[in-house]
Amino acid sequence: MQSFFARHKRLVIFALVAIAAIAGGVYYWTSQPASQQAGPGGGRGGNANRVQPVSAAEVKRADVPVWVSAVGTAVPRNLVTVRTRVDGQLMSLHFREGATVKQGQLLAEIDPRPYQVQLAQAAGQLARDTAALENAQADLARYRDLWAKDSIAKQQLDTQEALVRQSQGTVESDRGQVDNAKLQLTFARVTAPVGGRIGLRQVDPGNQVHASDTNGIAIIAQLQPMTVVFAVPESYLPAINQRVASGEEVAVEAWDREQKTRLAAGRLLTTDNLIDTATGTIKMKAEFANKDSTLFPNQFVNARLLLGVRKDTLVVPGAAVLQGSRGAYVYVVDGESAVTSVPVTPGPVDGGLVAVEGKLEPGSRVVTDGADKLRDGAKVEVIAPEARATKPAAGEKKPGAGGKRRREGAPAAAAN
């Protein structure tokens, strides 16, 4: 036996210490008052008999808009790359980067001299062929007179008529060459095809530019109006189509990335003709006046589409709706300052309010803050939200009241 204790000395000591700790815990638990032995659930915790400070709000009836939220991108109504239509040396630019330009405004000039030479050549060719036509027409008039006098053969007259027609065709071709040369000379002046905000220049004066250049000279984005493209689940499509078919304007709002600031309000412009089978969504396009230019091309926005309005429905603050194992519920404060959990079905959200369905009455109060320690039947004291942070529950120590207990009869410490 002595050898057994010698070999398992540490194990025996550990077992004795554990038994002593368990016995002390049992003694402490059984010696406490019944009110302190209670725990969470079933009304046994120390909080079960305490009055809990909470904040509450009234249940109201209101019209709640039904919004469909989606992620979107701002897209210009027109986005045009300004390119030269002729090849040549870029002589000058007539715009300021980032400025607003009007349709038809002169933006750049290409060296016009090669096209002026082409125009002069085409005009000379036209003059020469016109003179040849006039000579052929004069000969034709003489041949007709001689043929009438039976002085020449009919074949000679026919040949001259064919020569006149050939000269007429040559003159028409020369006129086309002249018009083409004038057009090329016009293209040497590059104008804005649309109005909008012009971006950074892509080429500097002095460089050779070509009609086939990918980057062009600059890009113009039409900012007013601006469109936003976003995708919504296909399940909303029937309701949206119904509103569009009725001729009713469908409102759309654009919000910033944090969904704190509304950037613009507009209307639904159109929907795509295909549903994306990979995501189960359909693209939609909304139009915004954008008079203050708050929407910028390729800007990320949160779009909200107004699907409808739920009339005269029960609403509660969003903070009052809690989630449990049996679903959503709220704590209702009765006339005796006790709370009861009531199951609800949350609906659309409008700001801080949530539309709910359940056994609630307008005017009843629901707990909005301080519900984490509540149980059915718990007593509460409704206070202002700003006071709840500093008011402890009944029987609890105030913040900073911890530390050693002052001996009975000892003088209190002087306040600082």
Side-chain angles (χ1 to χ4, degrees), residues 113-123 177-178 180-182 184:
R113 291 173 297 180
Y115 304 102
Q116 291 172 345
V117 172
Q118 291 179 8
L119 176 58
Q121 291 176 341
Q177 293 295 329
V178 171
N180 180 66
K182 290 180 179 179
Q184 299 301 311

Side-chain angles (χ1 to χ4, degrees), residues 219-235:
I219 297 177
I220 298 177
Q222 184 178 356
L223 305 183
Q224 298 173 350
M226 178 72 78
T227 63
V228 170
V229 177
F230 57 96
V232 301
E234 61 178 313
S235 58

Side-chain angles (χ1 to χ4, degrees), residues 406-410:
R406 181 170 55 88
R407 292 176 306 180
E408 186 177 356

Side-chain angles (χ1 to χ4, degrees), residues 32-92:
Q32 298 302 312
S35 61
Q36 296 184 15
Q37 292 180 25
R44 284 188 57 84
N47 294 330
N49 296 326
R50 296 174 181 173
V51 177
Q52 301 291 331
V54 298
S55 300
E58 286 188 358
V59 179
K60 299 180 181 179
R61 285 193 176 274
D63 296 341
V64 179
V66 181
W67 294 99
V68 178
S69 299
V71 175
T73 304
V75 179
R77 186 66 181 271
N78 291 298
L79 187 65
V80 180
T81 300
V82 180
R83 294 186 175 92
T84 176
R85 301 179 68 173
V86 295
D87 299 344
Q89 184 181 18
L90 181 62
M91 302 298 292
S92 60

Side-chain angles (χ1 to χ4, degrees), residues 67-388:
W67 294 99
V68 178
S69 299
V71 175
T73 304
V75 179
R77 186 66 181 271
N78 291 298
L79 187 65
V80 180
T81 300
V82 180
R83 294 186 175 92
T84 176
R85 301 179 68 173
V86 295
D87 299 344
Q89 184 181 18
L90 181 62
M91 302 298 292
S92 60
L93 295 175
H94 299 276
F95 65 88
R96 181 171 55 87
E97 295 171 303
T100 300
V101 298
K102 297 181 179 180
Q103 185 176 7
Q105 178 178 331
L106 178 64
L107 301 179
E109 288 186 277
I110 311 298
D111 187 2
R113 291 173 297 180
Y115 304 102
Q116 291 172 345
V117 172
Q118 291 179 8
L119 176 58
Q121 291 176 341
Q125 183 71 26
L126 174 62
R128 186 186 66 179
D129 292 338
T130 300
L133 172 61
E134 292 174 351
N135 181 61
Q137 289 174 336
D139 289 343
L140 177 61
R142 287 193 295 268
Y143 285 174
R144 285 176 177 172
D145 183 60
L146 293 173
W147 183 78
K149 298 176 180 180
D150 200 21
S151 299
I152 60 173
K154 183 67 168 59
Q155 182 180 0
Q156 192 173 0
L157 177 62
D158 294 340
T159 301
Q160 188 61 33
E161 289 178 345
L163 181 61
V164 169
R165 290 193 296 270
Q166 182 179 352
S167 297
Q168 288 175 340
T170 302
V171 169
E172 290 299 324
S173 177
D174 292 342
R175 287 174 179 169
Q177 293 295 329
V178 171
D179 292 340
N180 180 66
K182 290 180 179 179
L183 185 61
Q184 299 301 311
L185 185 59
T186 302
F187 288 158
R189 292 169 56 87
V190 182
T191 58
V194 296
R197 179 170 179 172
I198 195 166
L200 305 178
R201 66 187 186 190
Q202 303 297 316
V203 63
D204 298 325
N207 287 287
Q208 284 290 123
V209 293
H210 306 276
S212 59
D213 291 343
T214 304
N215 295 332
I217 298 175
I219 297 177
I220 298 177
Q222 184 178 356
L223 305 183
Q224 298 173 350
M226 178 72 78
T227 63
V228 170
V229 177
F230 57 96
V232 301
E234 61 178 313
S235 58
Y236 294 110
L237 187 57
I240 295 174
N241 286 339
Q242 184 178 0
R243 292 198 62 190
V244 173
S246 66
E248 186 178 358
E249 187 174 279
V250 181
V252 180
E253 295 181 349
W255 291 70
D256 63 354
R257 185 180 294 270
E258 291 77 21
Q259 297 191 21
K260 294 181 179 179
T261 303
R262 192 180 75 171
L263 302 176
R267 63 184 182 90
L268 182 66
L269 190 63
T270 185
T271 62
D272 202 357
N273 60 348
L274 293 175
I275 293 176
D276 188 343
T277 56
T279 60
T281 59
I282 183 170
K283 288 184 178 180
M284 299 192 174
K285 180 182 287 188
E287 185 181 59
F288 301 84
N290 200 34
K291 293 182 179 179
D292 51 0
S293 298
T294 54
L295 296 178
F296 208 75
N298 293 341
Q299 179 182 0
F300 173 91
V301 297
N302 286 291
R304 295 201 314 169
L305 182 145
L306 183 60
L307 193 61
V309 178
R310 185 174 290 186
K311 298 288 186 179
D312 196 30
T313 187
L314 294 173
V315 294
V316 298
V321 181
L322 307 174
Q323 290 292 335
S325 58
R326 293 179 295 177
Y329 65 96
V330 296
Y331 277 119
V332 179
V333 183
D334 59 21
E336 298 180 357
S337 296
V339 296
T340 304
S341 62
V342 177
V344 295
T345 302
V349 178
D350 182 31
L353 299 178
V354 180
V356 294
E357 295 180 359
K359 296 181 179 180
L360 297 176
E361 294 295 335
S364 58
R365 296 181 299 172
V366 293
V367 176
T368 59
D369 192 13
D372 51 337
K373 298 181 180 179
L374 296 181
R375 299 291 186 271
D376 282 348
K379 296 293 184 179
V380 296
E381 178 187 1
V382 179
I383 60 176
E386 57 272 12
R388 222 195 70 77

